[in-house]
PDB file of all heavy atoms in Angstrom:
ATOM      1  N   GLU A  14      21.449 -23.697   4.400  1.00 86.00           N
ATOM      2  CA  GLU A  14      21.145 -23.056   3.112  1.00 86.00           C
ATOM      3  C   GLU A  14      20.524 -21.664   3.287  1.00 86.00           C
ATOM      4  O   GLU A  14      19.693 -21.235   2.497  1.00 86.00           O
ATOM      5  CB  GLU A  14      20.244 -23.943   2.257  1.00 86.00           C
ATOM      6  CG  GLU A  14      20.893 -25.276   1.923  1.00 86.00           C
ATOM      7  CD  GLU A  14      20.091 -26.136   0.969  1.00 86.00           C
ATOM      8  OE1 GLU A  14      18.846 -25.944   0.913  1.00 86.00           O
ATOM      9  OE2 GLU A  14      20.683 -26.986   0.299  1.00 86.00           O
ATOM     10  N   ARG A  15      20.936 -20.976   4.335  1.00 89.00           N
ATOM     11  CA  ARG A  15      20.493 -19.591   4.545  1.00 89.00           C
ATOM     12  C   ARG A  15      21.708 -18.654   4.532  1.00 89.00           C
ATOM     13  O   ARG A  15      21.672 -17.585   5.143  1.00 89.00           O
ATOM     14  CB  ARG A  15      19.726 -19.464   5.871  1.00 89.00           C
ATOM     15  CG  ARG A  15      18.436 -20.265   5.918  1.00 89.00           C
ATOM     16  CD  ARG A  15      17.399 -19.734   4.954  1.00 89.00           C
ATOM     17  NE  ARG A  15      16.156 -20.490   4.978  1.00 89.00           N
ATOM     18  CZ  ARG A  15      15.725 -21.247   3.984  1.00 89.00           C
ATOM     19  NH1 ARG A  15      16.465 -21.375   2.872  1.00 89.00           N
ATOM     20  NH2 ARG A  15      14.579 -21.887   4.078  1.00 89.00           N
ATOM     21  N   ASP A  16      22.774 -19.078   3.859  1.00 88.00           N
ATOM     22  CA  ASP A  16      23.998 -18.275   3.840  1.00 88.00           C
ATOM     23  C   ASP A  16      23.775 -16.908   3.222  1.00 88.00           C
ATOM     24  O   ASP A  16      24.253 -15.883   3.736  1.00 88.00           O
ATOM     25  CB  ASP A  16      25.101 -19.020   3.074  1.00 88.00           C
ATOM     26  CG  ASP A  16      25.546 -20.277   3.807  1.00 88.00           C
ATOM     27  OD1 ASP A  16      25.242 -20.390   5.015  1.00 88.00           O
ATOM     28  OD2 ASP A  16      26.183 -21.138   3.176  1.00 88.00           O
ATOM     29  N   ALA A  17      23.062 -16.856   2.084  1.00 89.00           N
ATOM     30  CA  ALA A  17      22.849 -15.572   1.403  1.00 89.00           C
ATOM     31  C   ALA A  17      22.063 -14.618   2.293  1.00 89.00           C
ATOM     32  O   ALA A  17      22.364 -13.415   2.367  1.00 89.00           O
ATOM     33  CB  ALA A  17      22.127 -15.793   0.083  1.00 89.00           C
ATOM     34  N   GLU A  18      21.060 -15.158   2.987  1.00 91.00           N
ATOM     35  CA  GLU A  18      20.252 -14.318   3.868  1.00 91.00           C
ATOM     36  C   GLU A  18      21.089 -13.785   5.040  1.00 91.00           C
ATOM     37  O   GLU A  18      20.987 -12.614   5.425  1.00 91.00           O
ATOM     38  CB  GLU A  18      19.047 -15.110   4.399  1.00 91.00           C
ATOM     39  CG  GLU A  18      18.004 -15.450   3.354  1.00 91.00           C
ATOM     40  CD  GLU A  18      18.370 -16.674   2.520  1.00 91.00           C
ATOM     41  OE1 GLU A  18      19.464 -17.271   2.758  1.00 91.00           O
ATOM     42  OE2 GLU A  18      17.584 -17.036   1.627  1.00 91.00           O
ATOM     43  N   LEU A  19      21.942 -14.649   5.602  1.00 91.00           N
ATOM     44  CA  LEU A  19      22.774 -14.225   6.715  1.00 91.00           C
ATOM     45  C   LEU A  19      23.851 -13.242   6.275  1.00 91.00           C
ATOM     46  O   LEU A  19      24.243 -12.358   7.051  1.00 91.00           O
ATOM     47  CB  LEU A  19      23.411 -15.447   7.389  1.00 91.00           C
ATOM     48  CG  LEU A  19      22.417 -16.345   8.142  1.00 91.00           C
ATOM     49  CD1 LEU A  19      23.114 -17.591   8.657  1.00 91.00           C
ATOM     50  CD2 LEU A  19      21.752 -15.594   9.289  1.00 91.00           C
ATOM     51  N   VAL A  20      24.337 -13.378   5.051  1.00 92.00           N
ATOM     52  CA  VAL A  20      25.279 -12.392   4.530  1.00 92.00           C
ATOM     53  C   VAL A  20      24.599 -11.025   4.458  1.00 92.00           C
ATOM     54  O   VAL A  20      25.187  -9.996   4.837  1.00 92.00           O
ATOM     55  CB  VAL A  20      25.804 -12.824   3.145  1.00 92.00           C
ATOM     56  CG1 VAL A  20      26.504 -11.655   2.450  1.00 92.00           C
ATOM     57  CG2 VAL A  20      26.750 -13.993   3.286  1.00 92.00           C
ATOM     58  N   ALA A  21      23.354 -11.008   3.973  1.00 91.00           N
ATOM     59  CA  ALA A  21      22.623  -9.737   3.910  1.00 91.00           C
ATOM     60  C   ALA A  21      22.445  -9.144   5.303  1.00 91.00           C
ATOM     61  O   ALA A  21      22.582  -7.929   5.507  1.00 91.00           O
ATOM     62  CB  ALA A  21      21.263  -9.949   3.245  1.00 91.00           C
ATOM     63  N   VAL A  22      22.164 -10.011   6.279  1.00 93.00           N
ATOM     64  CA  VAL A  22      22.004  -9.544   7.659  1.00 93.00           C
ATOM     65  C   VAL A  22      23.329  -8.993   8.189  1.00 93.00           C
ATOM     66  O   VAL A  22      23.382  -7.915   8.799  1.00 93.00           O
ATOM     67  CB  VAL A  22      21.488 -10.686   8.552  1.00 93.00           C
ATOM     68  CG1 VAL A  22      21.581 -10.301  10.029  1.00 93.00           C
ATOM     69  CG2 VAL A  22      20.056 -11.037   8.188  1.00 93.00           C
ATOM     70  N   ASP A  23      24.421  -9.721   7.958  1.00 93.00           N
ATOM     71  CA  ASP A  23      25.721  -9.259   8.463  1.00 93.00           C
ATOM     72  C   ASP A  23      26.133  -7.937   7.829  1.00 93.00           C
ATOM     73  O   ASP A  23      26.687  -7.055   8.503  1.00 93.00           O
ATOM     74  CB  ASP A  23      26.782 -10.330   8.190  1.00 93.00           C
ATOM     75  CG  ASP A  23      26.686 -11.497   9.155  1.00 93.00           C
ATOM     76  OD1 ASP A  23      26.146 -11.303  10.262  1.00 93.00           O
ATOM     77  OD2 ASP A  23      27.135 -12.602   8.803  1.00 93.00           O
ATOM     78  N   GLU A  24      25.882  -7.801   6.531  1.00 92.00           N
ATOM     79  CA  GLU A  24      26.217  -6.534   5.870  1.00 92.00           C
ATOM     80  C   GLU A  24      25.411  -5.384   6.478  1.00 92.00           C
ATOM     81  O   GLU A  24      25.942  -4.292   6.720  1.00 92.00           O
ATOM     82  CB  GLU A  24      25.937  -6.641   4.372  1.00 92.00           C
ATOM     83  CG  GLU A  24      26.913  -7.529   3.625  1.00 92.00           C
ATOM     84  CD  GLU A  24      26.560  -7.647   2.149  1.00 92.00           C
ATOM     85  OE1 GLU A  24      25.450  -7.181   1.772  1.00 92.00           O
ATOM     86  OE2 GLU A  24      27.363  -8.206   1.390  1.00 92.00           O
ATOM     87  N   ALA A  25      24.132  -5.653   6.722  1.00 91.00           N
ATOM     88  CA  ALA A  25      23.293  -4.606   7.315  1.00 91.00           C
ATOM     89  C   ALA A  25      23.760  -4.264   8.722  1.00 91.00           C
ATOM     90  O   ALA A  25      23.806  -3.083   9.112  1.00 91.00           O
ATOM     91  CB  ALA A  25      21.836  -5.062   7.344  1.00 91.00           C
ATOM     92  N   LEU A  26      24.124  -5.269   9.504  1.00 93.00           N
ATOM     93  CA  LEU A  26      24.605  -5.007  10.860  1.00 93.00           C
ATOM     94  C   LEU A  26      25.939  -4.276  10.839  1.00 93.00           C
ATOM     95  O   LEU A  26      26.211  -3.432  11.702  1.00 93.00           O
ATOM     96  CB  LEU A  26      24.725  -6.320  11.632  1.00 93.00           C
ATOM     97  CG  LEU A  26      23.406  -6.998  12.025  1.00 93.00           C
ATOM     98  CD1 LEU A  26      23.659  -8.367  12.628  1.00 93.00           C
ATOM     99  CD2 LEU A  26      22.611  -6.130  12.995  1.00 93.00           C
ATOM    100  N   SER A  27      26.792  -4.587   9.864  1.00 92.00           N
ATOM    101  CA  SER A  27      28.061  -3.876   9.754  1.00 92.00           C
ATOM    102  C   SER A  27      27.829  -2.404   9.437  1.00 92.00           C
ATOM    103  O   SER A  27      28.470  -1.516  10.013  1.00 92.00           O
ATOM    104  CB  SER A  27      28.928  -4.523   8.669  1.00 92.00           C
ATOM    105  OG  SER A  27      29.299  -5.837   9.035  1.00 92.00           O
TER     106      SER A  27
END
Side-chain angles (χ1 to χ4, degrees):
E14 299 185 336
R15 296 293 180 248
D16 293 343
E18 291 81 0
L19 291 174
V20 166
V22 169
D23 284 336
E24 289 178 350
L26 289 173
S27 295

